[in-house]
Amino acid sequence: MIAFENAAYSYGGGELLSEISLRLAPGSFHFLTGPSGSGKSTFLKLCYGELMPTAGRLTLFDREVRALSRDDIALTRRRIGVVHQDCQFLDHLPLAANVALPLTVAGRAAPAADLSDLLGWVGLGQLADALPPSLSGGERQRAALARAIIMGPDVILADEPTGNLDWDLSLRLLTLLVELNRMGKTILIATHDLNLIRQAKSQLAARVLRISKRRIQLAGADL
Amino acid sequence: MAAIQQGLPLMAMTSDRQADRVVPPSGASAWLTSFTAGAMTFLAVFALALSLASGRLATRWAEALDHTATIRISAPADQLPLQTKAVLEVLKTTPGIAAARAETPEEQRKLLEPWFGPDLPLDDLPLPQLIEVTEGLDGYDAEGLKQRLSAEAPGAVLDDHTRWRRPMAEAAQRLRLLGYLSIALIGAAMAAMITLAANAALSANAQVIKVLRLVGARDSYIARAFVRRFTLRAVTGSLIGAILGTIGVALLPAQDVAGGFLTGLGFTGFGWLLPLALPVLAAFVAFAATRTAAFRTLRRLT
């Protein structure tokens, strides 16, 4: 699905990530941890084609990423849902239109009932007409998750999705991601939050990847 | 190919309103586009009217230059009839002259009337006799005719109008070219200003572009959103400018012989429909300018 083979990424003359070889298998659930500035966000950007590896090989859905055209990358992103900590929206459009945006840009209509169900599933059913600036941090994170999954992506990448949330809201978001994984989605969450990882491992077989000294390792010790 | 190209701005205006919605309602840059397109089209209408009027004038003068000449006979009163007769005889036997006739005193009075008034006592003035010459299709040898005239009628001078008609006809041609060049420059200036406005809008919406890319929008989709908006704005502004410009031209004083060129500045017949072509031209300019700016910016924002 997403596979790195001895890949590296350099920025500004220095190597940020080195010798990365790993494969995100379909239906897997991974956490990515590491100190601030270690390259977690960069790794996620490589995973959805915003950045290109400067060495080695990266394949997205069995296609070498460097061989993809700009249009191909856009189409690949429709198979990958992304949730950022500082999730951005189109502030002039209501929440429902923002959540349906991936369908809109793909030229597909969002059935009202399905959209309503999805908003209800993330607990935002009453806020369909609200504008993004009026939403709280937790509401924005759940709205971003709804937007990330509306196309039925194969992979969901989340970059510090609970960074601005209290513990209750973090758990709620985690529950949604766990549910998605049980539906067969591949999940990768970059986070500092060890409690969140412990909570997830209590519910499913999540694997933890750790960035250390520019390399990504599989964390062996229990958290 | 031309039909496809013509269809592009139309497609930009009619298709995918959803794409237009994803761009926030823009303020200054969009209105600047409408105003620029309107003002430029207003000016272009006058440049068009100037070009067409100059073209008519150039054609008229060139035709007159090609087909007429005048022979002026200045001689003492007692010799004037003899020399006139001699000149008419020469003209009869000159190849390429279709017709020639002496102006009557009444016709000469009418020619002088604008300067001296209607009560001019022609008999008291030593006026030269004018002979109007109409050229045949094949033309005549002006130099040969001048030599024959100097031999047969020493007081006769051939004025084939070249001396003053040709520079005027050339000036009118140049004026027409200047008019068309003005339209081209106005179009280029409009393209430049729309490009600037589009660049400003694209930069102001960098966050929107980032979100659209994140959810899988292709560059063509993002570009279309901006192109549609700017093309519509330009066409709306240009249409208003064309209507106001046409009204302005229509309000110019009616054509008058005494007024000459300035009062002939306008459109004739179907020419009144030509300003309506300018908004179509503006649509092409806005479409091409915005599309180029959008793709350039999108490549840069990778």
Side-chain angles (χ1 to χ4, degrees):
Chain A
M1 195 157 276
I2 297 178
F4 290 82
E5 287 176 43
N6 206 25
Y9 181 77
S10 300
Y11 177 77
E15 203 163 59
L16 191 59
L17 295 169
S18 302
E19 297 175 24
I20 302 168
S21 294
L22 67 88
R23 183 171 169 272
L24 295 180
S28 60
F29 196 119
H30 287 86
F31 284 100
L32 179 65
T33 65
S36 295
S38 59
K40 295 192 294 294
S41 296
T42 300
F43 180 76
L44 290 189
K45 285 178 180 175
L46 288 167
C47 288
Y48 64 87
E50 184 170 334
L51 297 176
M52 296 283 154
T54 50
R57 182 179 163 87
L58 165 61
T59 54
L60 301 179
F61 302 103
D62 301 323
R63 294 184 67 185
E64 163 63 39
V65 73
R66 284 197 198 86
L68 297 177
S69 67
R70 295 169 71 87
D71 276 355
D72 288 336
I73 288 176
L75 295 177
T76 300
R77 283 182 190 166
R78 294 177 189 178
R79 300 179 66 182
I80 302 173
V82 182
V83 181
H84 285 294
Q85 180 181 0
D86 58 339
C87 35
Q88 301 289 339
F89 297 95
L90 303 185
D91 289 345
H92 64 290
L93 293 181
L95 178 61
N98 265 289
V99 169
L101 195 59
L103 289 171
T104 305
V105 302
R108 288 161 54 185
D114 291 356
L115 188 56
S116 179
D117 284 351
L118 178 59
L119 287 173
W121 184 69
V122 294
L124 299 173
Q126 304 300 313
L127 295 171
D129 296 325
L131 291 174
S134 67
L135 300 178
S136 68
E139 289 164 346
R140 288 174 74 87
Q141 290 290 355
R142 283 179 280 146
L145 180 62
R147 185 179 66 186
I149 63 173
I150 195 166
M151 288 285 281
D154 301 306
V155 179
I156 294 163
L157 307 173
D159 190 3
E160 300 284 3
T162 59
N164 293 328
L165 304 183
D166 61 31
W167 179 241
D168 287 342
L169 283 174
S170 297
L171 279 182
R172 188 166 177 180
L173 195 70
L174 178 66
T175 304
L176 295 174
L177 289 166
V178 168
E179 278 185 47
L180 287 167
N181 180 246
R182 285 177 178 149
M183 291 176 197
K185 309 294 181 192
T186 304
I187 311 280
L188 173 61
I189 303 172
T191 184
H192 280 109
D193 192 341
L194 298 183
N195 287 331
L196 191 74
I197 296 172
R198 284 194 196 97
Q199 185 65 36
K201 285 174 77 77
S202 70
Q203 297 178 42
L204 45 71
R207 304 181 79 183
V208 180
L209 305 168
R210 181 177 291 144
I211 298 182
S212 175
K213 296 178 183 171
R214 303 193 302 277
R215 290 172 175 78
I216 294 183
Q217 304 160 336
L218 187 63
D222 284 341
L223 292 160
Chain B
M1 189 63 187
I4 294 170
Q5 286 173 343
Q6 280 171 9
L8 289 175
L10 192 65
M11 278 169 60
M13 284 188 282
T14 56
S15 69
D16 209 347
R17 292 184 180 183
Q18 285 293 335
D20 191 16
R21 280 189 66 213
V22 300
V23 181
S26 39
S29 62
W31 289 111
L32 184 67
T33 304
S34 297
F35 175 76
T36 302
M40 293 296 181
T41 306
F42 185 84
L43 296 175
V45 170
F46 283 95
L48 186 62
L50 175 75
S51 298
L52 293 176
S54 305
R56 288 195 298 271
L57 204 61
T59 305
R60 206 162 63 223
W61 284 343
E63 281 175 356
L65 172 71
D66 286 346
H67 301 301
T68 65
T70 307
I71 294 173
R72 188 178 71 251
I73 305 167
S74 302
D78 58 332
Q79 292 181 23
L80 202 55
L82 281 176
Q83 290 207 21
T84 303
K85 193 178 172 190
V87 168
L88 287 172
E89 283 301 319
V90 167
L91 291 172
K92 264 184 199 169
T93 57
T94 303
I97 301 293
R101 68 176 189 86
E103 299 265 352
T104 63
E106 190 54 36
E107 285 171 328
Q108 296 204 181
R109 184 195 305 279
K110 279 190 177 170
L111 285 174
L112 296 170
E113 202 176 278
W115 288 273
F116 297 107
D119 302 323
L120 179 68
L122 267 185
D123 297 338
D124 299 340
L125 291 172
L127 289 178
Q129 173 65 52
L130 298 179
I131 293 177
E132 186 184 299
V133 180
T134 306
E135 192 182 323
L137 287 176
D138 297 334
Y140 64 96
D141 174 11
E143 276 308 310
L145 180 58
K146 279 178 187 171
Q147 286 174 14
R148 287 184 67 198
L149 287 175
S150 64
E152 302 287 334
V157 177
L158 172 67
D159 178 2
D160 60 1
H161 303 173
T162 307
R163 191 161 39 91
W164 61 279
R165 289 273 194 191
R166 182 162 290 159
M168 289 178 75
E170 283 175 1
Q173 285 284 11
R174 297 255 170 91
L175 205 55
R176 177 163 66 169
L177 283 178
L178 274 177
Y180 289 135
L181 184 65
S182 301
I183 293 172
L185 284 175
I186 286 168
M190 184 158 74
M193 294 185 83
I194 289 175
T195 300
L196 286 174
N199 278 335
L202 285 157
S203 299
N205 287 297
Q207 193 61 48
V208 170
I209 292 170
K210 191 175 171 187
V211 170
L212 290 172
R213 282 205 163 133
L214 189 68
V215 299
R218 299 184 202 202
D219 283 358
S220 55
Y221 180 91
I222 301 170
R224 200 157 61 235
F226 287 92
V227 168
R228 184 177 190 276
R229 175 162 299 184
F230 277 84
T231 304
L232 273 174
R233 295 277 187 191
V235 168
T236 306
S238 180
L239 199 60
I240 293 169
I243 291 169
L244 292 178
T246 308
I247 291 171
V249 170
L251 291 177
L252 286 173
Q255 187 161 13
D256 179 83
V257 176
F261 173 67
L262 281 177
T263 56
L265 194 63
F267 301 107
T268 54
F270 286 112
W272 286 101
L273 296 177
L274 281 178
L276 291 179
L278 294 174
V280 179
L281 214 59
F284 274 104
V285 168
F287 177 84
T290 316
R291 189 175 162 81
T292 306
F295 276 105
R296 194 187 300 127
T297 304
L298 289 170
R299 275 195 296 274
R300 201 181 64 236
L301 289 178
T302 298

